[in-house]
Amino acid sequence: MKYQEIKYVTKPLSKIIFGCAIPSMIQGEDADELLDEVYAQGITTFDTAENYGLSEVSLEHWLKNRGNREKVVIISKGCHPYDGRDRVTPEDLKHDIEQSFERLGTDYIDIYLMHRDDLKVEPGSMVEILNEYHKAGKIGAFGGSNWTHQRIAEANRYAAEHGLVPFSVSSPNFGLCDQIGDPWGGGPGCVTISGPSNAKARAWYRDNQIPVLAYSSLGRGMFAGIVKSDDIEGAKKILDPNAVKGYCYPENFERLARAEQLAKEKNCTVPQIALAWIMNQDFEVFPLVSARKASRIESNAQALDIKLAKEEVEWLDLRRDRR
């Protein structure tokens, strides 16, 4: 495993982050054995959220039993909409942060993200609340998940004008598999920086040196090695409905075909190629990866050692023909 320090977090993050939105943890089940195996692979950073069912409770069970809270980095999120109500308000933010403290059994969260955005809300009010918790030592770095780079820039202008700590991390969708549709549909949208249409967003992250915590980095399973590029109908049966809505498009099956070809040439797996593609970008990215079996995480982590040429990176993403 490789590690990287980011501003306002006292411990380095593992370059691969384990996503805790898996069925067993969402249901609040004992996931200690799985988390032990993931941790043994060197993954020390865990992503959860207030609205991931009882995932925070399941993670707390492991942290308490192993006594390792000071050795791991916890990412949690709040302000997700419920029942058609946008919840990007100071009151909801405070509620969700405090609830996460209780569920996680901790008095601080290393990285806190606002899960969704609401364009009707001036971001300054949220920056003020996040700074209160940061100043009190209760959260380290903070930022947005599914916030556009323009809105993050707006929030950071407010912070600069008022002498406050800015958003210093972001968690949009990013991966070789382009999120073309909204996986969940309706309500406040999901934000992606994948694909050719989002080159300016990626350049903004590079120029502003804001690290990206990339969710759905394997396209909700589409690039996890469980579907084949020449079996579109089979893929639609294997993947969950949200993955089909977000990722099952011709462009992505072409990307998958190229990943299959390159994996064969390099004697590795499709998910290893897809994760290596993320690691070989020109800005700081930490892919989030979920798995029900630690063996998949162990295999995926080998992507850290795969080097791709610039031409291969562009070819995989359909930006050039192979010569």
Side-chain angles (χ1 to χ4, degrees):
M1 185 53 58
K2 296 180 181 179
Y3 302 88
Q4 180 72 40
E5 293 186 353
I6 68 172
K7 197 171 184 179
Y8 305 119
V9 180
T10 60
K11 293 161 282 188
L13 279 68
S14 52
K15 282 296 294 184
I16 292 178
I17 298 171
F18 184 75
C20 295
I22 58 175
S24 60
M25 296 186 73
I26 290 172
Q27 294 164 16
E29 297 174 3
D30 183 340
D32 287 5
E33 183 176 346
L34 172 62
L35 295 174
D36 281 344
E37 293 174 344
V38 169
Y39 187 67
Q41 301 301 324
I43 294 179
T44 57
T45 308
F46 298 85
D47 174 84
T48 185
E50 177 272 337
N51 78 311
Y52 289 172
L54 297 175
S55 171
E56 290 177 319
V57 174
S58 184
L59 182 59
E60 184 274 339
H61 185 272
W62 177 68
L63 294 169
K64 182 178 180 181
N65 285 347
R66 301 300 181 261
N68 60 358
R69 172 66 188 93
E70 298 309 311
K71 297 179 180 180
V72 304
V73 174
I74 295 177
I75 304 164
S76 196
K77 303 181 282 292
C79 294
H80 194 282
Y82 291 132
D83 301 322
R85 184 175 76 84
D86 294 333
R87 299 179 62 255
V88 182
T89 71
E91 294 75 22
D92 287 307
L93 178 57
K94 289 179 180 179
H95 171 273
D96 290 355
I97 292 174
E98 296 293 339
Q99 182 173 262
S100 289
F101 288 151
E102 181 178 354
R103 289 177 171 178
L104 289 164
T106 186
D107 59 0
Y108 77 100
I109 295 173
D110 302 276
I111 301 173
Y112 196 83
L113 304 170
M114 298 184 63
H115 211 156
R116 295 289 182 93
D117 192 8
D118 181 354
L119 299 182
K120 300 186 299 297
V121 175
E122 291 293 332
S125 61
M126 314 309 292
V127 172
E128 294 279 359
I129 299 300
L130 291 164
N131 268 264
E132 289 178 17
Y133 279 94
H134 175 81
K135 186 176 181 180
K138 293 185 175 182
I139 60 174
F142 56 81
S145 175
N146 295 302
W147 279 54
T148 65
H149 67 282
Q150 294 95 334
R151 283 281 284 179
I152 294 173
E154 185 180 349
N156 286 356
R157 281 194 296 272
Y158 179 92
E161 291 167 358
H162 294 81
L164 298 172
V165 172
F167 281 28
S168 60
V169 66
S170 177
S171 185
N173 164 258
F174 179 63
L176 178 58
C177 191
D178 189 4
Q179 184 175 284
I180 295 173
D182 185 335
W184 292 275
C190 298
V191 171
T192 181
I193 62 170
S194 301
S197 64
N198 290 301
K200 289 184 178 179
R202 295 191 294 273
W204 183 89
Y205 281 104
R206 180 196 65 222
D207 295 344
N208 288 274
Q209 298 185 325
I210 291 182
V212 167
L213 315 180
Y215 77 76
S216 295
S217 59
L218 294 176
R220 288 185 68 87
M222 186 163 173
F223 278 47
I226 58 176
V227 302
K228 301 298 182 183
S229 62
D230 60 356
D231 187 10
I232 296 177
E233 293 307 312
K236 292 179 179 179
K237 294 177 182 177
I238 293 172
L239 298 172
D240 67 55
N242 294 332
V244 172
K245 286 189 291 184
Y247 303 100
C248 282
Y249 296 86
E251 303 96 312
N252 284 330
F253 283 101
E254 174 59 26
R255 291 184 176 94
L256 180 56
R258 296 187 181 195
E260 290 168 343
Q261 180 181 334
L262 198 59
K264 186 176 181 179
E265 293 174 8
K266 293 181 177 290
N267 193 30
C268 60
T269 68
V270 165
Q272 287 169 353
I273 289 294
L275 290 172
W277 182 87
I278 292 174
M279 302 291 188
N280 282 270
Q281 298 298 311
D282 61 359
F283 59 99
E284 193 70 58
V285 190
F286 298 78
L288 273 67
V289 178
S290 295
R292 303 183 192 189
K293 295 182 179 180
S295 58
R296 286 189 176 273
I297 296 294
E298 181 179 8
S299 175
N300 290 345
Q302 295 175 30
L304 292 164
D305 299 319
I306 299 175
K307 299 299 182 183
L308 298 178
K310 180 181 178 182
E311 293 77 11
E312 291 173 320
V313 170
E314 294 177 350
W315 177 72
L316 284 167
D317 198 27
L318 313 183
R319 284 181 278 160
R320 69 159 59 215
D321 293 328
R322 204 171 191 191
R323 300 187 188 280

